[in-house]
Amino acid sequence: MTTSPPGNGPGDLGDLGDLSGDELVRVLATLANPHRLRVVAALARERMYVSELARALGISRALLQVHLRKLEAAGLVTARVEVSQDGKAMKFYEVNRFAIELTPEAVEAAERTLTPPGDGPGGETKGSK
Amino acid sequence: MTTSPPGNGPGDLGDLGDLSGDELVRVLATLANPHRLRVVAALARERMYVSELARALGISRALLQVHLRKLEAAGLVTARVEVSQDGKAMKFYEVNRFAIELTPEAVEAAERTLTPPGDGPGGETKGSK
DNA sequence: GGCATGTGCTAACTTTTCTTGGCATGTGCA
DNA sequence: TGCACATGCCAAGAAAAGTTAGCACATGCC
């Protein structure tokens, strides 16, 4: 559904069908934050480099970086380092196209691919501790 | 877009366009949890009462109740108390139909209706209190 | 050199969310 | 009466997320 051509980047998100339940949870959790929502909105209008974005949003670089990382980890944005004419290395970010449809049916489908409860980190059946 | 007829219940969610940025954040945050995703999925298949749902999901009632409350607060599910033939009061839950489309454009639109930064609880710029 | 701008990182604190466990109430039934 | 099952609420600890503050490094320019 998403118009992305065959050569999909590693961070590109296709339709909801492409996302496992766990990935969906991560994407939703990532988007469920005012700061990150603003970042996505700002980048949807035009790509920007970190400091520039921080100023535009009125937040510290440190804070912005944390959010940008989560957005990147969720595959919602992509970073690209470019060296400006005056030699400064700027890190530009841009949004990845994504289209997720959220409906009870979609949720039900995603749930089927969720990692079973208590099946997380260490695993418990064996003596991890 | 959602098929809900005019008489929409108070908890019904229409299209994304109907949600303010803040509401969207809440809905996403609510859905961004494995337990709650499972609850929605289970209820999408068939309505169930609390204890029954807890057994089906293999979690405690106390825990389930917390999640059900958030889901209800977000308008994703609705509770209905019914007295069974043997006099027991059962609280049935069912999912509300909702359809949210998540795309960079939709996010940008939602962002415009977000409560401005640092405009939360206390409120400082104006004298709301 | 000193200042401005760009980047990155981490330790530490605060706040929020998640989860558990216990306790209380009410009804039907053997 | 005592057991089974339904509901509700709350205190408290554990875990995760959000933020701040400070320091480090590089480059261009007056």
Side-chain angles (χ1 to χ4, degrees):
Chain A
M1 237 118 252
T2 315
T3 51
S4 335
N8 254 351
D12 279 25
L13 296 175
D15 213 340
L16 171 56
D18 298 67
L19 295 172
S20 72
D22 300 294
E23 291 173 323
L24 176 62
V25 169
R26 175 177 298 180
V27 171
L28 295 183
T30 303
L31 250 20
N33 174 293
H35 282 323
R36 291 193 287 267
L37 214 56
R38 288 200 187 84
V39 169
V40 171
L43 295 180
R45 299 190 197 102
E46 64 171 333
R47 43 173 274 168
M48 288 192 257
Y49 57 92
V50 186
S51 295
E52 182 184 18
L53 224 195
R55 281 191 295 268
L57 300 178
I59 64 179
S60 71
R61 272 194 1 270
L63 178 56
L64 176 58
Q65 265 183 339
V66 175
H67 290 308
L68 280 174
R69 255 179 235 176
K70 291 202 172 185
L71 285 167
E72 191 169 18
L76 295 169
V77 304
T78 297
R80 203 184 306 278
V81 178
E82 286 176 34
V83 181
S84 63
Q85 298 185 310
D86 52 320
K88 302 262 181 66
M90 337 272 278
K91 195 167 190 179
F92 281 87
Y93 274 91
E94 50 188 279
V95 291
N96 289 158
R97 311 105 205 78
F98 59 88
I100 297 175
E101 191 195 351
L102 236 35
T103 62
E105 296 68 46
V107 170
E108 199 198 321
E111 183 268 352
R112 295 175 195 284
T113 64
L114 267 180
T115 298
D119 208 59
E124 72 250 45
T125 324
K126 21 54 174 295
S128 62
K129 185 179 54 186
Chain B
M1 229 115 261
T2 315
T3 51
S4 332
N8 254 350
D12 279 25
L13 296 175
D15 212 341
L16 171 57
D18 298 70
L19 295 172
S20 72
D22 300 293
E23 291 173 322
L24 176 62
V25 169
R26 175 178 298 181
V27 171
L28 294 183
T30 303
L31 251 18
N33 174 293
H35 282 322
R36 291 193 286 266
L37 215 57
R38 288 200 186 85
V39 170
V40 172
L43 295 181
R45 298 189 197 104
E46 64 172 331
R47 43 173 272 167
M48 288 193 256
Y49 56 93
V50 186
S51 295
E52 181 185 17
L53 223 195
R55 281 192 295 268
L57 300 178
I59 63 178
S60 71
R61 270 189 8 265
L63 179 56
L64 176 59
Q65 265 184 340
V66 175
H67 290 309
L68 281 174
R69 256 179 232 178
K70 292 203 171 187
L71 286 167
E72 191 170 17
L76 295 168
V77 304
T78 297
R80 201 185 307 275
V81 179
E82 286 176 33
V83 180
S84 63
Q85 297 185 310
D86 52 318
K88 302 263 182 67
M90 336 270 280
K91 195 168 191 180
F92 280 88
Y93 274 91
E94 50 188 277
V95 290
N96 290 155
R97 308 107 206 78
F98 59 87
I100 297 174
E101 191 194 350
L102 236 35
T103 64
E105 297 69 45
V107 169
E108 199 199 322
E111 182 269 351
R112 296 175 194 282
T113 64
L114 265 181
T115 298
D119 209 59
E124 60 241 55
T125 321
K126 25 59 192 273
S128 64
K129 188 173 52 186

